[in-house]
Amino acid sequence: MAARGIGELACDLMANDDIPESWRPALEPALTSAEARKLGGWLRAEEGAGKVVYPPRGSRLTALALTPLEAVRVVILGQDPYHGPGQAHGLAFSVQDGVKIPPSLVNIYKELESDLGLPRPPHGNLTRWAEQGVLLLNNTLTVEAGKAGSHAGRGWDAITDACVAAVAERGEPAVFILWGSHARKKASRVLALGKSAQHLVLTSPHPSPLSAHNGFFGSAPFSQANAFLQAHGRGEVDWALCGGARLPSEHLHPRATLRMSSTRASTGSFGNSTTSRLSAVRSRRRRSASSSAISKLCRRSDV
């Protein structure tokens, strides 16, 4: 009965987008609200007027479909979908195969290479991360073509806040990676995240070319996330994105070591402290030759 209620009351909003079963109980209050019905009616009117909305219906809940609630180990928050043709497919920061890699994702790949020694993939599709429990969630799940931020403030916030809260309220430790002030602000609205000492909250500037050099580069989010997950029995994420090709072990950074602190993040203070503090023991070895060789292998494996 509850599942049918969601479908009936949110039909305009979620037409052609099935709400994954694992997320239904957490999302029901938000999806059956007056705000959600208003958002659904507005979207239908926008599309009825001939406006192009990304991502297309049928792919707006991809993040939830690929990453069931009980499988979430890492949450990476984005702002809104890419607004160019063929880019957005329902995963934050990700683009479909064959689409040029956006600048922010280029910088994410640079940090991935620096942090874990993984070569930069030739594509921008992050589906493999999502399938391993990395929830790639945008704050706003739709956008008008060519108009960044055009659907912000229309009602998506309450729905995606409910997603973040559902992860924070579970008993399993998880990592929340907050890039930029927008992500920190969203996390501060989730009271369960600020009050819990069981999760790791990592913050840094956004990977955008405008801010990446202000602290995103060198932040080591991937090794820190894996150290925390390993320490809490949840297993590491394999962040490699190109056919499993990896640099030889002698060229990788040593595993980040865990140093737990009794300091707890207070509600809304995600920019200044984290639920747990980590110290990454990092080695700046020169590995350009090996990286180049593996990058070539990566490109061949993805052809």
Side-chain angles (χ1 to χ4, degrees), residues 104-122 129 179 216-223 239-242 245-248 251-254 282-296 298-299:
S104 290
L105 186 53
V106 168
N107 287 338
I108 290 171
Y109 284 171
K110 288 179 180 178
E111 181 59 20
L112 181 65
E113 181 181 44
S114 173
D115 187 11
L116 294 179
L118 292 172
R120 304 174 202 174
W129 289 0
W179 289 330
F216 172 77
F217 289 134
S219 60
F222 308 104
S223 62
W239 298 99
L241 288 168
C242 46
R246 301 177 66 91
L247 292 176
H251 294 280
L252 296 179
H253 292 307
R282 308 182 66 200
S283 171
R284 293 293 182 183
R285 296 176 180 173
R286 299 289 296 176
R287 58 185 185 277
S288 58
S290 294
S291 179
S292 175
I294 297 297
S295 293
K296 291 178 181 177
C298 177
R299 286 193 292 272

Side-chain angles (χ1 to χ4, degrees), residues 224 227 255-260 276-282:
Q224 291 195 68
R255 295 289 181 194
T257 57
L258 186 65
R259 184 178 68 209
M260 302 302 295
S276 302
R277 291 183 179 177
L278 293 174
S279 175
V281 179
R282 308 182 66 200

Side-chain angles (χ1 to χ4, degrees), residues 42 53 63 212 222 303:
W42 179 79
V53 176
F222 308 104
V303 172

Side-chain angles (χ1 to χ4, degrees), residues 7-289:
E8 291 168 1
L9 292 174
C11 58
D12 287 335
L13 181 59
M14 297 302 180
N16 301 324
D17 286 279
D18 291 333
I19 302 162
E21 190 64 35
S22 67
W23 291 97
R24 284 178 180 269
L27 296 183
E28 181 174 7
L31 288 175
T32 56
S33 67
E35 185 178 23
R37 292 195 295 273
K38 182 178 179 181
L39 170 62
W42 179 79
L43 275 175
R44 184 177 61 176
E46 290 288 285
E47 292 170 316
K51 294 183 179 179
V52 176
V53 176
Y54 296 132
R57 289 187 182 270
S59 60
R60 292 172 186 174
L61 297 182
T62 300
L64 306 185
L66 291 179
T67 314
L69 176 58
E70 66 274 9
V72 176
R73 294 188 286 168
V74 179
V75 178
I76 297 179
L77 298 178
Q79 295 185 27
D80 61 348
Y82 296 118
H83 53 83
Q87 290 182 305
H89 63 126
L91 298 177
F93 295 104
S94 179
V95 292
Q96 300 188 72
D97 291 326
V99 176
K100 182 179 179 180
I101 302 174
S104 290
L105 186 53
V106 168
N107 287 338
I108 290 171
Y109 284 171
K110 288 179 180 178
E111 181 59 20
L112 181 65
E113 181 181 44
S114 173
D115 187 11
L116 294 179
L118 292 172
R120 304 174 202 174
H123 62 82
N125 194 325
L126 304 181
T127 295
R128 191 166 185 269
W129 289 0
E131 292 173 339
Q132 294 183 76
V134 180
L135 181 62
L136 297 164
L137 184 68
N138 279 315
N139 182 57
T140 301
L141 299 186
T142 56
V143 68
E144 183 180 344
K147 296 183 178 181
S150 52
H151 289 188
R154 288 288 181 174
W156 281 117
D157 302 57
I159 296 168
T160 52
D161 283 0
C163 294
V164 177
V167 178
E169 291 167 3
R170 294 188 73 244
E172 295 283 355
V175 180
F176 292 79
I177 298 177
L178 312 179
W179 289 330
S181 59
H182 193 278
R184 291 195 298 272
K185 181 179 179 181
K186 183 174 187 65
S188 72
R189 296 197 297 266
V190 180
L191 298 181
L193 182 56
K195 293 178 179 178
S196 176
Q198 71 176 347
H199 303 303
L200 173 67
V201 179
L202 299 174
T203 66
S204 79
H206 194 275
S208 162
L210 299 176
S211 56
H213 290 280
N214 294 329
F216 172 77
F217 289 134
S219 60
F222 308 104
S223 62
Q224 291 195 68
N226 273 356
F228 178 86
L229 293 171
Q230 187 72 13
H232 288 79
R234 301 212 64 194
E236 298 182 346
V237 174
D238 181 359
W239 298 99
L241 288 168
C242 46
R246 301 177 66 91
L247 292 176
S249 58
E250 63 268 23
H251 294 280
L252 296 179
H253 292 307
R255 295 289 181 194
T257 57
L258 186 65
R259 184 178 68 209
M260 302 302 295
S261 168
S262 60
T263 303
R264 292 177 56 183
S266 59
T267 303
S269 64
F270 298 100
N272 301 316
S273 59
T274 60
T275 304
S276 302
R277 291 183 179 177
L278 293 174
S279 175
V281 179
R282 308 182 66 200
S283 171
R284 293 293 182 183
R285 296 176 180 173
R286 299 289 296 176
R287 58 185 185 277
S288 58

